[in-house]
Amino acid sequence: MSLSDSESSSHGSEKEYKVFRQFSRDRLLYEMLGCSTSGGSKSAWKVLIMDKVTVKVMSHSCKMADITDQGVSLVEDLFRRRQPLPSMDAIYFIQPSKENVVMFISDMSGREPLYKKAFVFFSSPVPKEFVNHIKSDTSVLPRIGALREMNLEYFPIDSQGFITDHETALEDLFSEEAEKSRRFEVCLNTMATRIATVFASLKEFPIVRYRAVKSQDTSTATTRDLIPSKLAEAVWNCLLKYKSIPNFPQTETCELFILDRSVDQIAPVIHEWTYDAMCHDLLDMEGNKYMLEFPSKSGGPPEKKEVLLEDHDPVWLELRHAHIADASERLHDKMTTFKSRNKAAQVQSSRDGGELSTRDMQKIVQALPQYNEIVEKLSLHVEIAGTINKLIREMGLRELGQLEQDLVFGDAGAKDVINFLRTKQDASSENKLRLLMIYASVYPDRFEGDKASKLMQLARLSPEDMKVVNNMQLLGGSSKIKKETTGFSLKFDGQKKKQAERKDRTGEEETWQLFRFYPMIEELIENLSKGELSKNDYACINEPKPTVQDKSQSGSMRAIPTPAAPTEKRPAYSKRSRRTAMWARPHSSDDGYSSDSVLKNAAADFKRMGQRLFVFIIGGATRSELRVCHKLTAKLKREVVLGSSSFDDPPQYITKLKLLSEKDLSKGAPQPNFW
């Protein structure tokens, strides 16, 4: 029996570089499930027992088939009545809470324990009093095969993304009465603990940077201004305790950059035109699940099939960050190429009603399994892309999208917004509200006094809807909403914003129309990587000395790479250029129709990488920000991992923002009711 974290390391032997999500999955499967057997028999079946948090951790990293392959025949809920299985070993993957420890002892104490042997793994650091409580029970102690801290209490949602599962972080931390609530400290501390387990799990010790207080006088800073610094300090305190873990690095091996949602209030609401973002924005999806409707073979009502849009689907993996128009074209090309090369498809298209020869039948039989698999994959995405393109046309999103991006880049102003609201009265309330939120971010002074009321009337939005726009200032640090009889005032920093919120960067790569927008974290990450980040705006808890970096470089292959040599300046391309940036075009498949080679080549891209860079956004992250992290991983040659309290699509974010001024904060995640 041992009480320690794993002795494996993300840079131990350096035989193979594993991306973030893969590393988490392998720890759960091989380090926890695969090594938990008594008597040395790995073929014996086991029971896996989890609580409501750890079952989420497991489901975000592993499939049920993966768990079964490690000898687990039954998965149980810790707090449900369970059948005694005294001939089987049990693996407990639980949080280190008093209730969980009491339940575990109840299972394994006495003359008739529920299981033969117990292998206990805690998701985060366990207090010493709990360990002593377990060891004090003489009937339980001999039945424990392992007692360890896995330190894995985060939720991977992408190969380079994770959440801490704080869906109500915006309300808990940024609402009007947040600082008076106990939930404020609970949310921050739990978030810090879970972020710290990322580094404990990967055996990484980060340089911790964070957005500093905006106010020049820190004595006048609001509680909201201090949230990034409070979280950074809490994470740092957790990390210091991990230094006693075997093989945990004593010097910096990576970087952590903590931001909050105030860094970019446009990214959560602007229409993002990638295949991934459009799926989550326009389709009725639950997480990564989509209910596909297709005609019934019997001629009855349409049939439904649940499909998963995730990394295990190679077509999705290849196209998710492509512009929706580019994804549609590439799907068409794939289908055409497939039909021209697959034997079954060739024979089917050339039958002309005649009888098939024995040779033709043989070709069909040989090609049929691949034919069915590929047709099903491609047909699914062709159907989804077609549905999205139909919705884009019906909702008039191209014109709206152009106006949104023109506002952000300073090419449009008040007249353009007013003209759109006057001429597009049939636009949905959601889209008009999102437009006004972007307008407010670029021109906050245009919402002072009765100007806001006039815009609200013109857009035909209710006061409840416009509360969302007003609440944007709460993310900017303002402690009170200034209410007036004629409207409200929207001032984020007390200064007028420049007309352009972004510098146009389309000259650096070829893009499609409506692909100009980029989230602010792209610029921040690049500046951080080049050492050009303002220390006044972004502070550091443990700024390393140059010699420290040299030492860490000698101890790890993932040292920060030297800046690339300057390249020749490329000519600017038209924003209507019909091309996709090369970073968004994964490896082409050898067969011309299958995307499987994308999966085969993905790991090869990470073999020689610099130090990892983790970016954490308090208050929710977006699809566009995740796309940027994949893009910068290829550009900077270092894995950029995006973490957040949650990942929000525009409707979810708007609902959460609306709740910031509600006295009774709902603890659920209600759907928007204002469109």
Side-chain angles (χ1 to χ4, degrees):
M1 182 183 70
S2 65
L3 178 62
S4 65
D5 191 80
S6 162
E7 294 189 6
S8 64
S9 169
S10 65
H11 35 82
S13 62
E14 297 295 352
K15 288 183 179 180
E16 180 186 0
Y17 187 102
K18 294 178 181 178
V19 293
F20 170 74
R21 191 180 203 171
Q22 181 68 31
F23 192 91
S24 305
R25 173 183 177 272
D26 287 357
R27 283 201 68 211
L28 290 170
L29 292 180
Y30 308 125
E31 184 181 323
M32 186 175 77
L33 300 185
C35 298
S36 303
T37 52
S38 60
S41 174
K42 293 189 176 182
S43 61
W45 288 105
K46 298 164 285 193
V47 181
L48 175 60
I49 301 154
M50 297 180 285
D51 57 38
K52 63 180 182 180
V53 170
T54 54
V55 73
K56 282 187 177 181
V57 173
M58 183 66 75
S59 64
H60 276 77
S61 297
C62 310
K63 291 183 172 293
M64 193 62 208
D66 300 326
I67 298 172
T68 304
D69 288 344
Q70 296 303 314
V72 174
S73 61
L74 185 63
V75 177
E76 295 269 38
D77 185 328
L78 179 65
F79 285 94
R80 288 194 177 181
R81 188 180 183 89
R82 285 165 276 130
Q83 177 186 356
L85 296 168
S87 64
M88 297 180 67
D89 292 338
I91 300 171
Y92 285 80
F93 181 37
I94 55 178
Q95 286 186 291
S97 68
K98 181 179 179 179
E99 297 80 3
N100 287 358
V101 170
V102 168
M103 185 61 70
F104 161 69
I105 293 176
S106 174
D107 287 351
M108 298 303 296
S109 63
R111 293 184 178 180
E112 298 181 354
L114 291 186
Y115 310 104
K116 179 182 177 182
K117 204 86 169 175
F119 297 81
V120 186
F121 297 87
F122 291 106
S123 57
S124 56
V126 55
K128 287 184 179 180
E129 57 265 31
F130 292 169
V131 176
N132 294 333
H133 186 45
I134 293 172
K135 290 182 176 181
S136 66
D137 193 315
T138 55
S139 65
V140 172
L141 199 58
R143 296 165 182 163
I144 298 178
L147 187 63
R148 295 173 54 188
E149 294 172 347
M150 276 297 285
N151 288 319
L152 207 163
E153 200 175 291
Y154 52 91
F155 310 85
I157 48 87
D158 181 84
S159 60
Q160 293 173 226
F162 72 94
I163 58 172
T164 57
D165 198 31
H166 288 92
E167 288 291 336
T168 59
L170 270 182
E171 301 100 294
D172 293 345
L173 302 177
F174 292 94
S175 64
E176 288 181 292
E177 307 296 328
E179 58 265 36
K180 299 177 183 178
S181 171
R182 179 177 173 271
R183 289 182 308 192
F184 183 92
E185 292 297 332
V186 171
C187 179
L188 267 185
N189 291 334
T190 307
M191 196 180 294
T193 298
R194 292 179 178 175
I195 293 171
T197 66
V198 171
F199 300 98
S201 180
L202 295 170
K203 295 293 189 299
E204 296 270 23
F205 184 52
I207 301 168
V208 181
R209 304 183 192 277
Y210 59 93
R211 180 187 65 74
V213 177
K214 293 180 180 178
S215 174
Q216 292 182 352
D217 183 5
T218 55
S219 63
T220 62
T222 66
T223 303
R224 297 183 192 88
D225 287 324
L226 297 171
I227 288 173
S229 62
K230 284 178 175 288
L231 181 61
E233 184 179 359
V235 171
W236 177 250
N237 290 334
C238 292
L239 289 170
L240 291 180
K241 297 175 184 177
Y242 284 132
K243 283 207 167 189
S244 60
I245 293 176
N247 294 334
F248 192 81
Q250 301 300 303
T251 55
E252 294 80 5
T253 62
C254 65
E255 293 183 85
L256 170 62
F257 192 20
I258 297 176
L259 306 167
D260 61 12
R261 195 59 271 168
S262 68
V263 74
D264 188 350
Q265 295 202 53
I266 295 176
V269 293
I270 195 169
H271 284 88
E272 164 81 355
W273 289 80
T274 60
Y275 184 36
D276 178 14
M278 281 288 168
C279 282
H280 287 87
D281 192 355
L282 302 183
L283 302 181
D284 186 16
M285 292 186 65
E286 182 181 347
N288 60 353
K289 298 177 183 177
Y290 175 62
M291 197 64 69
L292 179 67
E293 289 190 1
F294 55 93
S296 172
K297 295 180 181 178
S298 61
E303 297 181 10
K304 293 185 177 181
K305 178 183 178 182
E306 184 181 276
V307 295
L308 297 176
L309 301 179
E310 57 181 2
D311 292 0
H312 295 283
D313 178 351
V315 179
W316 170 256
L317 191 63
E318 179 181 349
L319 300 179
R320 59 180 176 168
H321 294 146
H323 189 286
I324 180 61
D326 182 36
S328 300
E329 283 190 9
R330 286 158 69 178
L331 282 168
H332 179 269
D333 293 343
K334 281 179 176 291
M335 188 68 85
T336 303
T337 305
F338 165 69
K339 289 180 177 179
S340 69
R341 294 191 180 186
N342 184 272
K343 298 298 182 184
Q346 289 175 2
V347 172
Q348 188 177 32
S349 62
S350 62
R351 285 176 58 182
D352 296 329
E355 293 186 4
L356 293 174
S357 66
T358 304
R359 182 175 178 80
D360 288 339
M361 288 292 290
Q362 185 180 15
K363 289 180 180 179
I364 291 179
V365 170
Q366 291 173 346
L368 203 53
Q370 186 189 47
Y371 175 81
N372 290 335
E373 180 185 357
I374 299 299
V375 164
E376 185 177 352
K377 284 180 182 178
L378 292 178
S379 297
L380 162 67
H381 290 284
V382 167
E383 179 69 26
I384 292 175
T387 301
I388 291 173
N389 284 317
K390 181 182 177 183
L391 289 171
I392 289 172
R393 290 192 298 271
E394 291 175 350
M395 299 170 71
L397 290 187
R398 295 189 189 281
E399 185 176 349
L400 174 60
Q402 188 68 59
L403 177 56
E404 289 175 346
Q405 302 212 11
D406 286 347
L407 273 174
V408 171
F409 288 99
D411 298 330
K415 290 182 179 179
D416 303 280
V417 174
I418 292 171
N419 182 60
F420 180 88
L421 295 176
R422 282 176 176 167
T423 59
K424 303 294 180 183
Q425 294 287 348
D426 58 340
S428 68
S429 297
E430 174 200 350
N431 284 336
K432 288 186 284 189
L433 179 56
R434 288 166 67 172
L435 176 64
L436 288 182
M437 291 172 74
I438 296 169
Y439 185 46
S441 294
V442 182
Y443 298 97
D445 55 301
R446 303 296 170 86
F447 282 76
E448 295 177 9
D450 62 351
K451 296 177 184 178
S453 300
K454 292 178 179 179
L455 281 172
M456 181 176 68
Q457 293 170 7
L458 183 60
R460 297 184 179 179
L461 296 176
S462 69
E464 283 293 302
D465 298 343
M466 291 300 288
K467 184 190 297 183
V468 177
V469 182
N470 196 30
N471 285 351
M472 291 170 67
Q473 68 181 311
L474 290 173
L475 300 183
S478 176
S479 58
K480 290 292 181 183
I481 296 178
K482 182 180 176 183
K483 297 178 181 178
E484 302 179 14
T485 55
T486 55
F488 53 80
S489 176
L490 187 72
K491 291 185 178 180
F492 298 110
D493 303 314
Q495 298 177 352
K496 290 188 177 182
K497 299 273 185 177
K498 293 181 179 179
Q499 290 190 341
E501 277 287 314
R502 301 284 192 279
K503 296 178 181 178
D504 204 325
R505 296 159 65 97
T506 52
E508 67 180 36
E509 61 182 26
E510 303 166 4
T511 71
W512 285 71
Q513 184 181 6
L514 301 178
F515 222 12
R516 299 168 69 193
F517 177 78
Y518 61 92
M520 282 306 300
I521 68 165
E522 179 172 352
E523 199 168 274
L524 292 175
I525 292 171
E526 287 187 328
N527 288 341
L528 173 60
S529 191
K530 291 185 291 187
E532 297 177 358
L533 205 62
S534 168
K535 292 184 179 181
N536 293 329
D537 296 331
Y538 302 95
C540 181
I541 287 184
N542 58 325
E543 187 77 57
K545 298 177 182 178
T547 53
V548 174
Q549 282 198 356
D550 294 339
K551 291 179 183 178
S552 67
Q553 182 169 344
S554 62
S556 170
M557 287 180 63
R558 281 197 313 279
I560 296 177
T562 54
T567 55
E568 184 179 349
K569 188 175 181 181
R570 299 168 60 185
Y573 288 90
S574 166
K575 61 186 176 184
R576 299 181 181 275
S577 173
R578 306 195 64 182
R579 301 183 180 94
T580 292
M582 292 307 294
W583 70 268
R585 285 187 176 270
H587 300 277
S588 300
S589 52
D590 299 329
D591 51 26
Y593 56 79
S594 170
S595 303
D596 292 339
S597 59
V598 174
L599 295 174
K600 294 175 184 177
N601 291 315
D605 294 336
F606 289 89
K607 285 187 176 179
R608 292 187 177 181
M609 302 294 281
Q611 289 185 331
R612 284 188 176 101
L613 169 59
F614 295 83
V615 180
F616 190 88
I617 301 177
I618 308 167
T622 70
R623 304 282 161 184
S624 61
E625 287 163 337
L626 183 58
R627 167 178 63 86
V628 158
C629 289
H630 282 273
K631 170 185 176 179
L632 293 179
T633 293
K635 182 177 181 180
L636 303 176
K637 300 301 181 185
R638 58 189 302 198
E639 186 181 5
V640 182
V641 178
L642 177 63
S644 184
S645 48
S646 61
F647 264 75
D648 298 327
D649 301 318
Q652 296 171 308
Y653 177 75
I654 290 172
T655 300
K656 292 178 179 181
L657 201 56
K658 185 179 181 181
L659 291 173
L660 293 190
S661 56
E662 299 287 344
K663 298 293 183 183
D664 247 348
L665 298 179
S666 170
K667 295 306 292 179
Q671 293 299 313
N673 59 5
F674 47 86
W675 56 79

